[in-house]
Amino acid sequence: MKHFQLDYNNMMAAAIGQKDGMPAGAIHKDKALIAAARAKVLENRGKGWQEWTELPFVDKAYIEELTETGRLIRRKFDNFVVFGIGGSALGPLAVANALLHLRHNELRPGKRKGPRFYVEDNVDPERMSALLDIIDPADTMFNVITKSGETGETLSQLLFVLDILDKALGDKAKENIVVTTTVGKGTLYNIAVERGYKVYGLGKGVGGRFSVLSPVGLLPFAALGLNLKKLLRGAADMSKACCKTGVRFNPALMGAYLQYHSIKRGKNISVMMPYADSLKFMSDFYCQIWGESLGKAADNSGKTVYAGQTPVKALGVTDQHSQIQLYTEGPFDKVITFIGVRNFRAEVKIPAVKGAGGAAFLQNHTFNELINAEREATAFALVKAKRPNFTVLLDGVDEYTVGQLLMFMMYQTAFAGALLDVDTYNQPGVEEGKLATFAMLGRPGYEEKLKEIKSAYHNEKFIVD
Ligand code: PA5
């Protein structure tokens, strides 16, 4: 496995003091709890909602079919648009942004690895109409992704584009749509069968936020010319590391325990701060998986616990000049995770120029040195202010290391859910909003829900208008 380092020195009492740091004996004291959490996750690999653990180990033939489909899409289409939301969008967004050229969509076609790529995960009317100003639907492959096949946002986007494609292409429109959903049930599946769209199936036990290594992500990645085998190899190798018994050898178990220990001491905010623009949307991926999986009202025995840790996204170095002030001097309620990159894909020197004056100290260094020095300097400033932080250090950013990082985040979340004793895989809070939307838009069968919503609005007199 390529080097993947988890440096947690700055979490320890030796670095930041007894009050906010982890005593050296904490792991030993909690060893039974850690072992039970590990066992709970690993004994259920591939079972129930934990089918995601097996995604890196799929058949070679399946990957080859996806790769070939991706090649055909690349040959035929100028644009690839994902319609999806939450777990059906954030994985594709995070990985594509990590692995494509940072200005992918702006490159000329010959210079681009694949079609221009858009993930449309909102129903803002201005955004929907703006999309049509930059793509020609006839030259676009639309990948409609929803596990449930019922999500209103995604279905509305489908209807929006179907109308356009039907008018422009008639029967041939079906070549421009590919569907990723649960086979055999749901509105999207029924529409796909009726209209003859190609369908990629999602495993029953793969939940949205754990689905990036299923066709939810793999189909877009194949269309973009990314190396699926390498991505899955990175994920598989990380998966093996996450099965190790000793917490000191198991990065995700250690990451989960560090966070758990902090939560128990009032650190209710988890900041994710990569120091690489390519990893900016990994923070969005993290915020969803961490927030939606751990934020639960009740624990597994039904006791009210209001568990969870609020995830916050930040980007180094940009947010050093905004949020870091709060992190170093504000409330003692945060843990900061840095993601560092050892080897960037470009090396850019800061040149020596005549008359550099006070800027001369920067000359002949590289931006590579600068960004990593700033990461270490920020960690130092946090330690000085007694704020817990740890660093995930990647060798570089490529398919393999991105596979490692995704699997690390998924296992870290699963172990944290087990430590907190909550149901990592449900999302009743999200479902409630979905159902209320159906009711408000008049979906048959939701009449009672509409009455409930109307009766909840009794505070009209407290509106400032
Ligand atoms: O993680 C989850 O389960 C959610 O965030 C879903 O991905 C999101 O609500 C979209 O659901 P669906 O894929 O069914 O459209």
Side-chain angles (χ1 to χ4, degrees):
M1 158 153 130
K2 259 195 200 174
H3 209 65
F4 179 99
Q5 192 181 73
L6 180 74
D7 179 346
Y8 61 99
N9 279 296
N10 296 345
M11 296 294 288
M12 304 303 290
I16 57 172
Q18 289 294 333
K19 190 173 124 317
D20 296 285
M22 191 165 92
I27 293 177
H28 183 69
K29 218 168 129 206
D30 279 336
K31 71 172 193 283
L33 181 80
I34 298 170
R38 176 187 167 277
K40 186 172 177 197
V41 173
L42 298 183
E43 279 163 14
N44 290 303
R45 287 178 70 193
K47 296 183 202 155
W49 283 107
Q50 287 203 161
E51 272 182 37
W52 60 269
T53 60
E54 303 316 292
L55 293 173
F57 308 101
V58 284
D59 278 0
K60 239 169 129 194
Y62 183 61
I63 296 305
E64 268 151 24
E65 193 277 327
L66 274 165
T67 305
E68 178 56 15
T69 305
R71 202 179 57 79
L72 297 175
I73 292 173
R74 255 196 327 281
R75 198 153 12 117
K76 188 159 174 207
F77 294 101
D78 291 340
N79 312 297
F80 190 99
V81 174
V82 168
F83 285 151
I85 196 161
S88 294
L90 292 172
L93 186 66
V95 174
N97 274 280
L99 296 177
L100 295 176
H101 186 287
L102 288 189
R103 307 277 182 206
H104 175 84
N105 283 350
E106 289 139 83
L107 290 174
R108 274 181 284 111
K111 287 236 164 199
R112 251 189 281 124
K113 228 176 158 181
R116 291 189 294 166
F117 183 62
Y118 302 95
V119 177
E120 295 304 310
D121 61 350
N122 202 352
V123 288
D124 180 329
E126 288 186 32
R127 180 160 161 188
M128 291 309 296
S129 102
L131 181 67
L132 295 182
D133 292 334
I134 52 160
I135 62 156
D136 176 352
D139 294 333
T140 304
M141 174 58 98
F142 294 93
N143 185 191
V144 188
I145 310 178
T146 151
K147 175 175 172 73
S148 60
E150 300 295 349
T151 301
E153 290 90 338
T154 311
L155 292 178
S156 65
Q157 292 172 320
L158 171 67
L159 299 183
F160 169 78
V161 81
L162 281 189
D163 181 51
I164 296 167
L165 287 176
D166 283 351
K167 284 177 189 148
L169 301 175
D171 241 18
K172 287 193 83 193
K174 67 166 174 261
E175 289 167 24
N176 293 53
I177 297 204
V178 59
V179 159
T180 310
T181 192
T182 303
V183 172
K185 74 177 193 78
T187 300
L188 179 60
Y189 180 75
N190 294 337
I191 296 175
V193 171
E194 178 73 23
R195 288 181 160 245
Y197 300 149
K198 183 159 181 175
V199 175
Y200 280 91
L202 252 166
K204 204 165 139 252
V206 179
R209 54 194 176 274
F210 288 86
S211 67
V212 57
L213 298 176
S214 77
V216 166
L218 295 186
L219 178 62
F221 306 154
L224 293 168
L226 303 179
N227 187 331
L228 303 188
K229 283 188 190 152
K230 211 168 147 193
L231 180 79
L232 294 178
R233 204 176 330 118
D237 286 351
M238 177 53 73
S239 164
K240 281 175 209 144
C242 295
C243 290
K244 290 190 179 158
T245 317
V247 62
R248 287 190 177 80
F249 305 101
N250 182 327
L253 189 57
M254 178 58 89
Y257 178 67
L258 293 171
Q259 297 282 29
Y260 169 81
H261 190 273
S262 305
I263 292 170
K264 293 292 165 196
R265 274 144 198 85
K267 313 286 181 220
N268 293 322
I269 297 174
S270 169
V271 178
M272 177 53 73
M273 191 166 186
Y275 270 69
D277 266 53
S278 59
L279 301 176
K280 183 174 178 178
F281 290 97
M282 281 293 166
S283 298
D284 294 67
F285 178 83
Y286 174 79
C287 285
Q288 187 205 11
I289 204 163
W290 200 248
E292 202 169 339
S293 302
L294 306 181
K296 301 291 153 71
D299 69 9
N300 286 320
S301 56
K303 196 171 122 208
T304 302
V305 287
Y306 300 122
Q309 195 187 31
T310 305
V312 172
K313 48 187 180 179
L315 178 69
V317 304
T318 311
D319 288 313
Q320 274 181 219
H321 298 270
S322 62
Q323 303 178 32
I324 287 294
Q325 172 58 31
L326 170 71
Y327 301 166
T328 47
E329 294 200 355
F332 283 78
D333 56 359
K334 299 170 198 70
V335 180
I336 290 101
T337 306
F338 295 115
I339 306 181
V341 176
R342 240 190 260 270
N343 302 299
F344 284 83
R345 290 165 290 195
E347 184 176 86
V348 180
K349 202 169 162 187
I350 304 169
V353 298
K354 251 197 228 146
F361 75 99
L362 295 165
Q363 297 185 142
N364 297 323
H365 285 290
T366 60
F367 281 95
N368 309 54
E369 285 175 286
L370 180 60
I371 194 167
N372 278 330
E374 292 207 37
R375 174 172 51 74
E376 286 172 29
T378 303
F380 162 76
L382 288 168
V383 168
K384 198 170 162 193
K386 304 201 178 314
R387 313 297 167 133
N389 64 87
F390 62 96
T391 299
V392 168
L393 194 57
L394 303 182
D395 248 3
V397 179
D398 59 22
E399 281 90 339
Y400 183 89
T401 58
V402 165
Q404 285 180 310
L405 184 61
L406 292 170
M407 214 53 178
F408 166 77
M409 286 187 182
M410 290 191 270
Y411 265 110
Q412 185 190 24
T413 307
F415 289 136
L419 285 165
L420 291 168
D421 192 26
V422 294
D423 184 342
T424 310
Y425 301 104
N426 69 0
Q427 53 282 323
V430 173
E431 303 302 340
E432 185 60 36
K434 284 191 186 182
L435 303 183
T437 305
F438 292 160
M440 290 166 87
L441 290 179
R443 189 172 191 175
Y446 292 83
E447 296 76 12
E448 282 309 307
K449 182 60 70 189
L450 188 60
K451 279 191 209 152
E452 189 192 332
I453 294 167
K454 285 192 171 153
S455 70
Y457 286 114
H458 48 256
N459 280 340
E460 279 89 353
K461 51 185 189 251
F462 299 120
I463 291 173
V464 178
D465 212 346

